[in-house]
Structure formats: C-alpha cells, structure tokens
Amino acid sequence: GGQEVDKEGAERGKAQFAALCTACHGADGKGLPILGAPNLTDDVWLYGGSFEKVAHSIRNGRNGVMPAHKDLLSDDKIHLITAYVYSLTNK
C-alpha cells in the first residue's frame, strides 16, 4: 500500500483484467488456489503489494506459475491492470 489509487486507471484496467486475468484469478480477483493463482483482494502479497511490485509480477511473471505478460501487453495496459489490481485492496 501507500500509493494513492489511480481510480480512472483502475476503472479502465478492470476490462483488461476481465479479458486477460480472470481465467486464473477469477472474475472477482479472489484467485483459484488449485492453479496457484492467489487472491488479489486480500492484503496478502507474496512478492510485495506496492504498485511497482504488482506491475513487476504482471510484466515478468513469478516462479513459473504466473506467466510473464510483457510480450503480450503494452506498458500502458500493464499500468491499467496494475491500477485495477492495486485498487482491490487499497480502497
């Protein structure tokens, strides 16, 4: 936490999240533990919950479970999705 939520970016990122992230993290962002996809709505972060750390997870992936999306998503889309994920626990 700590950084102010980009509410407009988060709203725009919600559609990107719905299209790209819900298969593993669920429509509500609560995760699918059977896939190793964590709940994004609680305040538990395996790799840090700052905006920068969430963006790093989306961009580069984590431990072979969360695939890297840097080749699929522009930095702008990563920013918007990060804003949405960040907003889930930093209201």
Side-chain angles (χ1 to χ4, degrees):
Q3 182 173 329
E4 182 137 339
V5 172
D6 173 1
K7 289 184 174 67
E8 182 182 321
E11 193 55 40
R12 292 174 55 209
K14 187 175 183 177
Q16 299 293 327
F17 183 90
L20 299 162
C21 310
T22 58
C24 295
H25 289 287
D28 57 4
K30 297 217 183 267
L32 296 171
I34 198 162
L35 295 178
N39 182 343
L40 302 175
T41 67
D42 59 16
D43 202 23
V44 176
W45 296 98
L46 299 175
Y47 304 102
S50 71
F51 191 92
E52 291 75 20
K53 295 286 188 184
V54 173
H56 182 277
S57 293
I58 294 169
R59 187 175 292 110
N60 298 305
R62 294 291 184 179
N63 287 353
V65 177
M66 163 74 183
H69 286 76
K70 64 182 181 240
D71 295 333
L72 301 171
L73 299 173
S74 67
D75 281 342
D76 287 344
K77 284 187 179 175
I78 289 172
H79 181 89
L80 294 176
I81 293 169
T82 301
Y84 174 69
V85 171
Y86 191 75
S87 77
L88 293 175
T89 55
N90 294 278
K91 299 196 185 271

